[in-house]
Amino acid sequence: MPHALVATKLRVPRTRPNVLARPRLHEALALGEGHRLTLVSAPAGFGKTTLLGEWMEDRSGGGRSVAWVSLDGSDNDPARFLTYLVGALGDIEGGIGEGVLASLRSPELPPVEAVVGALVNELAGAEREITVVLDDYHMIDSESVHEAVSFLLEHMPENAHLIVLSRTDPPLPLPRLRARDQMTELRAADLRFTTDEATAFLGDVMGLTLSASDVAALEEVTEGWVAALQLAALSMRDREDVSGFVNAFSGSNRHVLDFLAEEVLERQPEDVREFLLHTSVLERMTAPLCDALTGRDDGQDMLEGLDRENLFVVALDDERRWYRYHHLFADFLRGRLVRESPERADELHLLASGWYEDNGHLAEAIRHALSASGSDPDYERAGRLIEGEARQAWGRGEVTTLLGWLEALSEEAKRHRPRLLLEHAMALMWVGRFDDIEPLVREAEQVAGVSGEGSVEGFQPDAGGIHRRYLLGYAAAIRAWRARLRGDWGRAIELARRALDLLPDDPTPRSFAALGLGTAYRDADDLEAASRAFAEAAELGRASGNPYMVLSAMVHHTDLQMARGHLREADDVLREAMRFAAERGAASLPAAGWIPVAMGELLYEWNDLDSAEERLTEGLELAERTGEAGSLVSGYIALSRVEQARGDAEGALETAREAEQLARRSGVSQLIVGAIAQKARLHLARGDLAAAAFEQERMAGVGELPPTAREEERIGMARLLIARGKPDEALRLLDELQGTAEAAERTGDLIGILALRALVLWSRNEKERAVSTLTRALVLAEPEGYVRTFADEGAAMGDLLSEVLDAQQRGRRDIGTPSVPAQYLAKLLAALAREDGAPAADERLPEPPSERELEVLALIAAGRSNQEIAHKLFVSTSTVKTHINNLYRKLDARSRTQALARAREMGLL
C-alpha cells in the first residue's frame, strides 16, 4: 500500500457484538447485489455505516469480496480518491490497479475516464465477485470525482457492485439507473427503527427495562431515529424516574439531539468530559495521538472504556488501535469546544499537526495546521509543511490536494515563502486556470525584489532563504509552459532559456525547464535544438532520480529521430529506454507506455506487421492501465494502419474512430488532428471523397497547432486534391511542404512528401520527373529500411517503382543521381504485391508466392542473374534456384520470360 494512504480508511468498520440484527434490511441489501448500485441515503444518525458493517460481517465467506473506502473532504482530489479506491481493491485482489496507481503518481493526472476505464477492465478480469463501498459520499463535492463514479457505474462489470452511503442524494445518474432497474435504494423511512426494533434495541442492546408505552412514546418522538434513541438510552441510564424523562422528552430531531448530547456530556466524569472535548478535533484517534493532545498517558484506556460504554466511538481496526467518534457526536463536541475555548481548539490542532508530522503523516499535519487559524495567524507551520510536501504531492499526482492547501493558506504566509506562490501558479496551470497564474508569478517576482523580468545581477538570498535567481527561474519556467500551451512557441523558447539560465544546480526544476524547452523547440520545428534540450532533460532526470522525467525525455528524443528519418537510431533509443525502465522498476509509469507504441510504429514502417501489432497491443494495455492519452491515441492510430495494411478496412476505420474519441477526451489538439487525418486517409482509400473532405474541414477547425500537426492537415488536403483530379493545386501545396521539411531537416517527413509528389507527377504523365523525384525519396529511405511509406500509397506506387527499376536497368537515370539497390526495390515491390491487387491474384493462384519469392521475382525482372540475386539477398545460388523453381511451379511457368509475363498478368509486378 502506498505510504500516503491511511489504512483505516480502507477497513470495514467493526460492529459491536450486541448490535441489533435487522434482517429486513439485510434482505434488501442482498437483493441489491443484482443491480449496479445500492444507494443508502439518509440523514446523520440513521445507522447507515453500522448497517453495512453488520451486513458485511453477517455474510462473510459468501464468496464476494468487499473494497471499503471511508471518504472525507480530502478525497475531493480525484487523484487521491482514485488512489484510495485502487488501494481498497488492491487489498482484496492482489495486483489489481498497479498500473493505474502508477499513472496517478505521475505529474499530470491522466483523464479520469481513462483511469476508471482501466480499472473497470481489471475488475472485469477478477476471479471473484467484488462489492465496492463508498462511505460518507456526502463529503464529496468534486465534479471530477462524481464523473469518475458515474463512469464506473455506466461501465460496471457483471462481477462488481457499488454501494454508496450518503446523507444526501449524490449527483450521479440516478434517474437513468432507476429507469433501467439497475439500482436499489434504502432511505430514512427504511432505516428508521420500527416499534419492535426500538423495543429490542432499548432492552437487549442498551439494557433498559421500559414499558411498552415508554418505548412507543420514544419511538414516536424520535421517529425511529437511531442516534436519538441511542442518546435517549444513555441519558436514561441510572435514572429512577424513566417514565418522567420519557414524558418530558419532546422537540424536533435537532433539538432532541442537542438536548441529549448535552445530557450525555454533562453526566460524564470530568476526566472523560475533558478527554472527549480535547480529542474532538481529530478525524481519527489512536492512543499516542490522544495522549499528545491531552497531556496524559491514559489514551488507550479511555478509548477502550468509551467503546465498552457504547459512547459514540467506532473502532476502525481489529486491533482496536484506531477509533473515530460518531459524526453527530463529533460535531457536537467540536461545537462545544469552540464555544467554551476557541483558543484551546487552535492549540489542539497545532498539537495534532505536530504529532502527525513527527509520525510521517504530512497530509494530516497540514490539514490540522490549516485548521489552527486563530493561534497561528500567519500559517507559519502550514506554510513550512506545504513547502516541504509540495514535491511529493506533485509526484503522487495530487495536484487538487496541493491546490486546496495553497488556496487555504494566507497570502501573507505565501509571501513569506514565495516559492509557494509559484507552486500555486503551477497547480493552477495544471488544472487549466490560466487567467489566475500571472498575478501569482508577478507577486513572487516582487518578493524577490525584481518586477517583471528585470536583472538579477548580484542577487542575495532573501529572508526566507530562497534565492532570487531560483524564484525568477521557476517563474520563467511556468511562463514558458503557459506560453507553449497557448500556442506561442517562440515566447515559450525564450522563457525556457531564461529559466535554465537562472535556475540553480538543483536538477529537479532544471529538468522541468529543459523538457519544456525541448517541446517548445519541437513545436517550432527546430529539431537540433530540441534534441539537445531533451538530452539535458534526461541527464537531469537521472541526476534527480526521476525516472518519469528520463523516460519522457527519451520518448521525445525518439520522436525527433523518426522525424529526421533516423529510424535505426530511434530503435536504439527505444531499446535503451526499455532497459532503463526495466532496471529501475519504472515499466508501469505513463511515459513507459510510449515505448512499445513507438516501437510498434517503427516495426510497422519496416513492414513487420505481426511484431508491430504485438508491440502496439502491449503499449495500449499499459496505456489503458495508466490512462496516458498520448500513448493511447498514437497506439490506436498505428493499429488502424496495421489493420488497413491487412485489408481490414472496416476494422481500421473503427479503430481510428476510437482514437479520435480518446483524443477529444484529452483535449490535446495535436492528438485530435492525428486521429482525424487517419480517418480522412482511410476514407480516401475507400474512394469516399465526400467523407474525406468532411474530415479535412474538421481538421481545419481544430485550434492552435504546432507546424508539424498543421503539416499533417495540409498533406491530407494534398491527397484530397489528387483524388479530385487537381494535380496542379496538389503540387503547389506539396512544393511548400517539401521546402519546409527540407529547411527543418525533417527527412522522415520529406520522404513521404517526395513519394506523394512523385505520384502527382506520374498522374500528369511526367514520367522522368516522377522517376527522379521518387528516386530521391528512395535513396533517402533505403539506409533506414522504409517500406510502408511507399507501400501504403497503393497500386500507383507499384507502377512507379517498376518504372524506377526499369529506368535503372536500362541506364535511363539522370547523370549524378544515385541508384537505388535492386534488393531494396524488390522488397518494396514484394510488399506492394500484398496490397490492393494481391488478394485477387492470391485467389487465382493455388499457392501464392512468399515474400522472399516475390523479392526474387522483382530481381529477375531487373535482369539480375542467379549469382547477382544470391549476392543481393545474402543467400547461396542453390537457394536462389530453389526460389525460382517454386515460382515456376506456383505461376505455372517453365522459363523466366513466362514467369514474368504471368506475374505481370496477375498484378504481382
Side-chain angles (χ1 to χ4, degrees), residues 811-857:
R812 293 191 288 107
R813 294 184 294 105
D814 293 337
I815 301 298
T817 301
S819 64
V820 182
Q823 180 184 355
Y824 181 53
L825 289 172
K827 184 175 183 178
L828 296 180
L829 286 167
L832 275 158
R834 298 291 184 184
E835 302 304 315
D836 295 337
D842 286 353
E843 291 172 5
R844 294 163 58 186
L845 290 173
E847 184 182 355
S850 67
E851 184 171 336
R852 177 50 65 107
E853 288 164 358
L854 287 170
E855 290 182 28
V856 171
L857 184 64

Side-chain angles (χ1 to χ4, degrees), residues 518 521-522 526-532 534 555-566 745:
Y521 273 133
R522 176 68 176 95
D526 189 342
L527 304 193
E528 185 60 38
S531 180
R532 290 194 298 270
F534 290 142
V555 166
H556 281 295
H557 183 62
T558 298
D559 173 67
L560 285 185
Q561 297 310 315
M562 295 181 76
R564 286 170 154 179
H566 301 167
E745 297 183 348

Side-chain angles (χ1 to χ4, degrees), residues 288-336:
L289 174 57
C290 293
D291 291 343
L293 269 62
T294 63
R296 295 157 28 179
D297 60 2
D298 60 348
Q300 188 64 38
D301 292 339
M302 290 296 295
L303 290 171
E304 291 178 359
L306 294 174
D307 191 19
R308 284 194 303 271
E309 290 296 317
N310 202 18
L311 199 59
F312 296 101
V313 294
V314 178
L316 297 175
D317 54 28
D318 295 337
E319 295 79 16
R320 293 297 205 265
R321 288 187 299 187
W322 283 90
Y323 295 81
R324 69 166 175 82
Y325 288 120
H326 184 285
H327 296 309
L328 283 178
F329 195 50
D331 289 344
F332 166 77
L333 291 174
R334 289 166 190 157
R336 173 62 68 88

Side-chain angles (χ1 to χ4, degrees), residues 10 53 73 172-173 191 202 222 233 244 248 280 329 358 370 401 412 439 460 472 513 546-547 574 647 740:
L10 308 181
L172 302 174
L191 297 176
L202 293 169
T222 61
S280 65
F329 195 50
D358 292 341
L370 289 170
T401 293
E412 184 61 31
Q460 295 293 328
L472 296 178
N546 188 336
L574 286 173
T740 303

Side-chain angles (χ1 to χ4, degrees), residues 187-204:
R187 300 191 169 275
D190 304 301
L191 297 176
R192 287 189 177 102
F193 276 170
T194 64
T195 301
D196 290 341
E197 288 173 334
T199 300
F201 174 76
L202 293 169
D204 300 340

Side-chain angles (χ1 to χ4, degrees), residues 673-804:
V673 166
I676 297 176
Q678 173 63 6
K679 289 174 64 182
R681 188 164 183 181
L682 291 171
H683 286 309
L684 282 177
R686 295 155 62 103
D688 191 344
L689 303 192
F694 174 72
E695 299 294 353
Q696 282 296 139
E697 291 176 4
R698 296 176 65 229
M699 266 194 282
V702 177
E704 291 289 341
L705 290 169
T708 50
R710 190 59 71 192
E711 181 177 279
E712 193 164 15
E713 174 203 341
R714 298 178 74 196
I715 288 175
M717 178 56 69
R719 293 184 186 282
L720 183 61
L721 290 170
I722 296 169
R724 284 175 167 172
K726 299 180 179 180
D728 294 342
E729 294 181 42
L731 271 181
R732 283 194 294 271
L733 185 53
L734 289 170
D735 286 344
E736 293 176 13
L737 292 169
Q738 179 180 335
T740 303
E742 287 174 335
E745 297 183 348
R746 283 188 281 105
T747 305
D749 295 332
L750 178 61
I751 291 169
I753 293 167
L754 288 171
L756 193 56
R757 190 173 181 275
L759 288 174
V760 179
L761 294 169
W762 181 257
S763 70
R764 291 175 16 144
N765 206 30
E766 297 183 42
K767 292 186 177 181
E768 289 189 8
R769 290 183 64 196
V771 167
S772 175
T773 301
L774 183 59
T775 298
R776 183 185 173 195
L778 293 168
V779 168
L780 293 171
E782 185 273 332
E784 302 295 331
Y786 279 84
V787 176
R788 295 308 316 181
T789 293
F790 303 99
D792 287 344
E793 298 297 345
M797 179 58 71
D799 294 340
L800 184 50
L801 282 168
S802 295
E803 186 68 19
V804 171

Side-chain angles (χ1 to χ4, degrees), residues 412-463:
E412 184 61 31
K414 281 181 278 194
R415 286 183 61 83
H416 187 64
R417 296 181 179 275
R419 177 186 150 197
L420 293 179
L421 292 166
L422 299 176
E423 297 286 7
H424 194 176
M426 181 64 76
L428 289 171
M429 184 182 71
W430 230 258
V431 298
R433 289 167 54 184
F434 299 126
D435 294 338
D436 299 329
I437 293 171
E438 188 60 25
L440 290 166
V441 176
R442 287 182 178 176
E443 188 171 2
E445 290 175 329
Q446 290 173 359
V447 173
V450 180
S451 60
E453 298 178 16
S455 172
V456 292
E457 294 300 324
F459 75 92
Q460 295 293 328
D462 67 6

